Amino acid sequence: MPRWAILERQLFTLMDKAVDLITSCYLEPEGGYLTPDFADFKFGAVDNSFESFHSWPLYYIMGGDRKFLELSHREHEIQLARVSRDGTFHKEFYPHGDWMHMSEGCIFFYYLNLADPDSRKNRDRSVRFAGFFLNEDPDIEAKNYDSVHNVFRSPRVGSMGASIGHGSFAYARWLDTYGMPYYDVPGVTHILQLDGRNPELSQRYNEVCRKRLGSGDTITGLMSTSLMLNAYLHTGDKKYEDFIVRYVEGWRQRYEKIKGRSHGMVPDNAGPAGEPGELFDGKWYGATYGWTWPHGYWMAVGDSLVIGSQNEKLFTGRKGSLDWVVDQQKILLAHARTDENGSKFIPMKYTDPDAVVEYADFDIPEPFTRPDRVTDKPGYKRKKVFDGFFEFAVQSPNDMAHAYFDAFDDNDFDLIKEMRNPTLNVWDTPYNSPIFFKNLSGQTHPYMNYLSGNYPNYPEDALQFTMDQVYAQLKKLRGEQEAAEGSYGYQPENEAGWNYLKKLTESINKKYDYQWSESTTHNYFQQYLLGRSVTPTEALVQLTLGGPMPIYNGGMLHVTVRYFDADERRPGLPDGVAALVSDVQEDRVQLMLCNTDPLETRRLIVQGGAFGEHGFTTVAHTDADGKNGAFEVEGKWFEIEMGPGSTISIDAGMARFSNKPSYQQPV
C-alpha cells in the first residue's frame, strides 16, 4: 500500500474530526454565527459570511463525511435567512454589488449545488438568480444587462437592478494600503486629500467617479458566467449557454480592438455602447476592480479571464481559450523587476505613466519606491511607476496553471517556472510557498513540478503539509479560546470604534463564557471563519481530481476526473479509498486507486470532468500483481470494484469536452 494512500486517508479522518472545533466554538449550537447581547449590533461584510463555508461542500464532493453536506445546507439557509431578514439581501441575492465580491460570496452556493444538485430549493434559486441578469425579473426597472451592446449597464448590479448614475470615492483608513482608483484628476495627488476636509477636491474627484462608475461594464463581469453556468448545469437551458458564449466573445472582441494601443493588455472597461475607454477619456484601464482599482489589479483581471474562458470552453471546446491569460502574463513578466537581493517582482497594476502614486506598503514591503514624498503620513511611500506599471509583488501562478490545463503547452509550463522568485525554493517543497489565507492554498508551483515528473514525492509531501496546516489551525483556534492575541484585519477607524470593539468583546465573553481577546473578536466579525478553516482542500483537488485549485473569486470546479461511491450512492471517494492522478495529458489521464480497507470491497465510479464534460474512450488497467486488462468505453463514467487492500493503476483515454456539462449524477 503506497504511503501517499495512507496519508490521504489519514487526512480525510483528520479533517472529518477537526471541523467539530469550528462548530462547537465559532457557531451557535443550532448553527449561525455568534452574536452579542445588545440591540445595535450589525454583522460585517456579507460576502465573507458566505465564503467562510465554501470548503465544506467542496470537501464533501471529494469524500468528506456526510455531515459536511448537512452542515453546508444548514449554514446556507441560516445565513440566507439572516441577510434577507436584515435587508442586506433582496430576493435572497445581492441588491447592488460588484461582480468580484458577489462572485467570491457565491462560491459556497456553487459548490453546494455541485454537492447536492437534487436540492429543489437551490435549483430554483439558481434559475432565479441567473434571471436577474437576463432581465427576467419584472420587478427590476433598471435592467442589469443590455443585450444589444452585450454589456452590464453598471459596475454595480443585482436583484434590484443596475445602479445607474452612482459612483463616489472617499478616504477611509482601510484604504491606506490600496490607494486611489484614478491618478489623473487635477489637483488630487494623494488619497488623504479625499477625507472630506477639502470639499472642492472631493467634489472634483467624485464628478470623475460618477462619470466613470455610474454606468458601463467591467472586465469582472466575466465572473457572471459562473452564475449562468450554475443555472445551465441544473436545467440544460440553451439561453444560459448562449449568454456565456456571447458575453465572453464580446470581451474578446474588445481586446482585439484595442490591443495595438494597450501594450497588448486587455481592457478592463466598456461603456454603455460596449466600447473600451468610452467613459474613461479613451483609456482602456481604470474600471471597478480593473488594472488601477485600489483593491483590484491583475488578480481580479486574470481571475476574470480564466473564469469566463473556462466556462465558455465547456460549450465550445475552443482550443487555446485561455490564450489571452498567457498573453497578459508574458507582458507582465516582460516588465518584471529584480531587487538588490535577486528577488523577482512582477507588476500587478497599470495607470497613467506620469501618475503620482503614494500610499502605504501592500501585503509585502514595496521594493520599488522613490525617496521623494507628497504626504507626511507615516508608512506612506511613493511608488515608482515604470511605463505605467506599478505595485510589484511575487505573483501567484494559479491563473497560469489553469492556462496550462487548457492547452497543455510546454511553453505555458515554462512561464510558470519563470514566475518563481529565484531566491526562494517553491519548486521542490510545499513549505516555502506564500499561503492565501482564505482557502489556505498556494501549492501551484510544486504541483506543476510534480506533473512535469521532477518532484515524485510531492503527493506525500503535500498531504503531510496539509495535515500540518490542519494541526496549526487547530492550535491557533485553541489559542483564541484562551485569550491569545491575533491579527485585526482592518482596524477600527477611531476611538469610538475601539470602544465599540471593547463592548462587543465583553458581551461575547460574558454570553458564551469565552476569553476572546479584542483582536479575535474584531477578526471574527470582520472575516468570520476566513483564515480559520480546518478543511484545506488544495492537495485533495490536485491529487484526486487532477487540476489546480479553482479560481477563488467565483470560479467553478474545472478538473480532470471526479468520483462517486457506488454503494453509498453519494459523491466522493468511498470510505478507505485513496486516489492519485499522476499524469494529465490532452487525450488521456493516469490515476492510481487504492482500497486501504483490509476487509471490505469498495465500488466507485469515475467521471470525466467535474460536470461530466469529458468522455472516456479506453481504459487500460494494471493491478498490484501486474495483471493487465483493457476495454473500450463510450461515455463519461466507468465503474471499478476493488477488493480489500487492493491497488489498481489506470490509463484512460479521454475525449475532452465531448459532452454537454451537467449536474447529472451516476448514482
Side-chain angles (χ1 to χ4, degrees):
M1 189 61 60
R3 183 170 181 268
W4 65 261
I6 302 299
L7 289 172
E8 190 173 294
R9 292 314 313 180
Q10 287 178 339
L11 179 59
F12 274 107
T13 300
L14 173 62
M15 294 201 294
D16 284 348
K17 181 66 175 176
V19 75
D20 293 347
L21 183 60
I22 293 289
T23 57
S24 63
C25 295
Y26 291 88
L27 297 172
E28 295 277 5
E30 69 278 8
Y33 293 119
L34 310 179
T35 56
D37 278 332
F38 53 83
D40 61 344
F41 172 74
K42 290 185 178 180
F43 282 92
V46 65
D47 54 319
N48 291 351
S49 69
F50 283 95
E51 291 172 63
S52 292
F53 303 105
H54 80 275
S55 66
W56 290 1
L58 179 58
Y59 175 56
Y60 168 77
I61 68 169
M62 292 186 286
D65 192 277
R66 282 186 183 272
K67 68 183 177 184
F68 282 90
L69 182 61
E70 297 167 3
L71 289 169
S72 296
H73 275 302
R74 183 188 76 172
E75 293 306 325
H76 184 257
E77 293 303 319
I78 288 174
Q79 299 307 321
L80 205 54
R82 175 180 65 81
V83 296
S84 298
R85 186 170 56 249
D86 68 14
T88 305
F89 270 21
H90 175 70
K91 294 187 176 181
E92 298 187 313
F93 201 78
Y94 300 80
H96 299 297
D98 64 82
W99 278 114
M100 200 281 285
H101 282 101
M102 290 195 298
S103 296
E104 65 179 4
C106 281
I107 55 175
F108 177 34
F109 184 62
Y110 298 153
Y111 295 157
L112 184 54
N113 280 273
L114 181 61
D116 186 11
D118 292 332
S119 169
R120 183 71 188 189
K121 184 181 294 186
N122 284 334
R123 179 193 183 279
D124 292 345
R125 285 172 176 151
S126 298
V127 171
R128 181 158 47 84
F129 294 169
F132 294 146
F133 305 97
L134 293 179
N135 302 333
E136 294 175 349
D137 188 326
D139 296 332
I140 296 179
E141 295 182 5
K143 302 302 182 184
N144 285 308
Y145 177 62
D146 179 347
S147 59
V148 175
H149 299 100
N150 196 20
V151 291
F152 289 111
R153 298 178 62 232
S154 168
R156 292 176 59 81
V157 289
S159 59
M160 294 184 70
S163 181
I164 304 292
H166 299 283
S168 63
F169 188 84
Y171 169 77
R173 183 175 176 179
W174 68 271
L175 286 166
D176 280 344
T177 55
Y178 293 116
M180 301 185 295
Y182 310 119
Y183 296 93
D184 59 350
V185 180
V188 182
T189 57
H190 58 86
I191 192 174
L192 299 177
Q193 293 172 306
L194 304 177
D195 63 1
R197 286 181 289 183
N198 189 326
E200 181 182 349
L201 283 184
S202 295
Q203 180 180 357
R204 185 185 308 164
Y205 201 89
N206 280 300
E207 285 176 356
V208 173
C209 288
R210 278 188 289 274
K211 173 190 173 185
R212 296 176 176 178
L213 306 178
S215 61
D217 204 353
T218 83
I219 191 73
T220 54
L222 288 168
M223 296 176 180
S224 70
T225 58
S226 290
L227 193 71
M228 299 298 174
L229 176 59
N230 178 57
Y232 176 90
L233 294 168
H234 276 296
T235 66
D237 195 320
K238 196 172 184 299
K239 65 183 177 182
Y240 304 118
E241 173 186 349
D242 291 344
F243 176 90
I244 292 169
V245 173
R246 181 173 182 244
Y247 186 74
V248 176
E249 181 59 29
W251 280 101
R252 292 190 189 278
Q253 292 173 0
R254 293 175 195 119
Y255 176 41
E256 291 300 321
K257 182 177 293 187
I258 65 102
K259 64 192 305 184
R261 58 182 176 87
S262 68
H263 303 281
M265 296 169 70
V266 296
D268 64 17
N269 66 84
E275 295 297 319
E278 189 179 339
L279 301 175
F280 289 77
D281 302 314
K283 296 176 182 178
W284 48 270
Y285 52 90
T288 304
Y289 291 96
W291 287 110
T292 310
W293 195 257
H295 190 22
Y297 60 100
W298 165 244
M299 179 193 74
V301 175
D303 286 357
S304 300
L305 298 179
V306 173
I307 290 170
S309 302
Q310 287 183 322
N311 294 340
E312 171 203 44
K313 187 164 185 172
L314 287 171
F315 301 104
T316 66
R318 182 176 187 148
K319 180 72 172 178
S321 63
L322 272 71
D323 282 353
W324 52 353
V325 178
V326 179
D327 292 344
Q328 306 310 292
Q329 195 63 69
K330 288 179 178 178
I331 295 166
L332 296 175
L333 274 168
H335 290 84
R337 292 288 187 273
T338 303
D339 71 2
E340 57 187 13
N341 300 316
S343 298
K344 180 183 290 186
F345 295 88
I346 302 171
M348 307 293 282
K349 293 185 179 181
Y350 185 89
T351 188
D352 309 288
D354 59 349
V356 176
V357 179
E358 182 176 306
Y359 46 91
D361 280 337
F362 196 56
D363 292 338
I364 60 172
E366 170 65 67
F368 304 108
T369 59
R370 295 169 49 139
D372 54 325
R373 301 276 303 281
V374 293
T375 77
D376 58 2
K377 182 163 183 175
Y380 269 44
K381 295 180 180 179
R382 184 172 174 183
K383 319 297 180 184
K384 289 184 179 179
V385 180
F386 299 91
D387 299 324
F389 294 93
F390 72 107
E391 200 168 280
F392 292 76
V394 176
Q395 197 175 100
S396 167
N398 198 40
D399 289 334
M400 272 303 304
H402 284 278
Y404 175 81
F405 273 83
D406 166 56
F408 296 97
D409 187 335
D410 288 341
N411 293 320
D412 296 343
F413 185 81
D414 292 339
L415 277 179
I416 295 172
K417 293 173 67 175
E418 188 180 345
M419 293 171 64
R420 291 176 296 164
N421 182 348
T423 66
L424 187 66
N425 178 21
V426 295
W427 206 239
D428 300 313
T429 175
Y431 285 89
N432 292 335
S433 299
I435 300 300
F436 180 45
F437 83 99
K438 287 189 174 184
N439 62 6
L440 301 182
S441 68
Q443 303 305 318
T444 303
H445 275 307
Y447 173 58
M448 298 304 294
N449 196 27
Y450 164 67
L451 290 180
S452 74
N454 295 317
Y455 187 3
N457 289 334
Y458 177 70
E460 293 182 15
D461 291 352
L463 292 164
Q464 182 64 61
F465 172 78
T466 306
M467 283 194 281
D468 291 347
Q469 280 185 306
V470 176
Y471 282 114
Q473 289 292 96
L474 292 170
K475 181 179 180 180
K476 181 180 76 172
L477 298 180
R478 287 193 296 269
E480 289 185 341
Q481 303 307 310
E482 299 170 0
E485 291 291 339
S487 62
Y488 277 88
Y490 302 132
Q491 294 190 18
E493 294 273 337
N494 47 43
E495 185 177 354
W498 285 105
N499 289 335
Y500 181 85
L501 175 59
K502 181 179 180 180
K503 175 185 175 184
L504 180 60
T505 304
E506 290 173 349
S507 179
I508 289 294
N509 286 339
K510 180 179 180 181
K511 181 177 180 179
Y512 298 100
D513 193 23
Y514 281 2
Q515 303 177 53
W516 280 11
S517 66
E518 290 185 3
S519 60
T520 295
T521 306
H522 187 270
N523 184 285
Y524 177 80
F525 287 108
Q526 187 178 93
Q527 298 177 340
Y528 305 102
L529 303 182
L530 293 178
R532 293 182 167 86
S533 174
V534 293
T535 49
T537 56
E538 182 176 36
L540 292 177
V541 169
Q542 294 171 343
L543 301 179
T544 71
L545 306 184
M549 201 57 182
I551 298 299
Y552 186 83
N553 294 319
M556 300 289 266
L557 182 65
H558 294 273
V559 288
T560 308
V561 293
R562 234 186 113 190
Y563 311 96
F564 294 85
D565 187 329
D567 292 315
E568 294 296 322
R569 302 184 64 81
R570 55 152 290 181
L573 290 166
D575 185 30
V577 175
L580 174 64
V581 176
S582 57
D583 188 35
V584 182
Q585 301 296 328
E586 190 168 12
D587 60 352
R588 55 189 283 272
V589 57
Q590 289 183 329
L591 62 147
M592 186 175 188
L593 297 166
C594 303
N595 180 10
T596 66
D597 193 293
L599 301 176
E600 300 294 332
T601 295
R602 303 295 187 208
R603 291 191 308 128
L604 72 153
I605 296 169
V606 183
Q607 174 178 290
F611 317 112
E613 66 270 26
H614 306 319
F616 295 109
T617 56
T618 59
V619 176
H621 53 92
T622 305
D623 65 17
D625 297 323
K627 296 180 180 178
N628 301 317
F631 58 90
E632 294 184 357
V633 57
E634 291 185 12
K636 54 187 176 183
W637 297 302
F638 62 86
E639 183 178 321
I640 302 174
E641 181 176 296
M642 301 189 68
S646 64
T647 65
I648 185 169
S649 297
I650 294 172
D651 190 333
M654 180 169 279
R656 287 181 172 269
F657 305 102
S658 56
N659 304 317
K660 287 290 188 180
S662 170
Y663 278 144
Q664 180 189 13
Q665 299 185 102
V667 293

